Amino acid sequence: MLEKVFENKIKKLLKEKQAYYVKFFGCGITTAGTPDILACVNGHFLGIECKTDNGRLSEMQRLKLKTIQNSGGIGIVAAPCSWYDIVKLINCVSYGELDNARIIADTINSKWKL
């Protein structure tokens, strides 16, 4: 699945959950490594870096996701192979089940050595 198609699938899910989100476009004047989608779900911050199943995570992307996690948000690398976990994670956040969401995020991110 193309990264853009997958990204649109995530944005559709966020919209269904009535979450606020923005698609971040990197360019020469923006902060390198910022996740593709920045979202607020039920008052909680998510940073979502979209990749294909065989994509690569840059060190700046890795650093930004860790910074989000260290500041109390949830940062994940989202790829099609993790779709069902991503749905579970967003559902948990939308229902305020943050402990479960963080466990799911750790599972998703372990595939990316984050």
Side-chain angles (χ1 to χ4, degrees), residues 3 5 9-10 22 28 39 51 53 60 74 78 86-87 113:
E3 186 176 316
V5 172
K9 194 172 176 178
I10 292 171
V22 293
K51 296 290 181 191
D53 286 333
M60 283 304 294
I74 295 175
I86 293 162
V87 172
K113 298 180 174 74

Side-chain angles (χ1 to χ4, degrees), residues 11-111:
K11 291 189 293 189
K12 181 180 178 193
L13 175 62
L14 290 168
K15 187 175 183 178
E16 289 170 2
K17 296 296 178 184
Q18 299 178 343
Y20 172 81
Y21 65 90
V22 293
K23 162 60 176 138
F24 187 82
F25 294 96
C27 68
I29 60 171
T30 59
T31 305
T34 299
D36 295 311
I37 300 171
L38 304 175
C40 183
V41 179
N42 192 24
H44 303 285
F45 183 83
L46 274 73
I48 304 170
E49 179 61 42
C50 298
K51 296 290 181 191
T52 59
D53 286 333
N54 59 354
R56 291 179 167 247
L57 192 63
S58 76
E59 284 308 310
M60 283 304 294
Q61 290 168 331
R62 187 179 312 279
L63 176 64
K64 295 295 180 179
L65 291 172
K66 286 182 180 181
T67 301
I68 290 167
Q69 292 169 337
N70 290 339
S71 65
I74 295 175
I76 62 165
V77 182
C81 64
S82 299
W83 174 246
Y84 294 108
D85 285 332
I86 293 162
V87 172
K88 286 192 296 189
L89 180 142
I90 292 173
N91 282 334
C92 284
V93 174
S94 70
Y95 292 117
E97 300 170 359
L98 297 182
D99 290 339
N100 288 338
R102 291 186 196 289
I103 291 167
I104 296 166
D106 288 345
T107 299
I108 292 168
N109 290 334
S110 69
K111 298 169 188 170

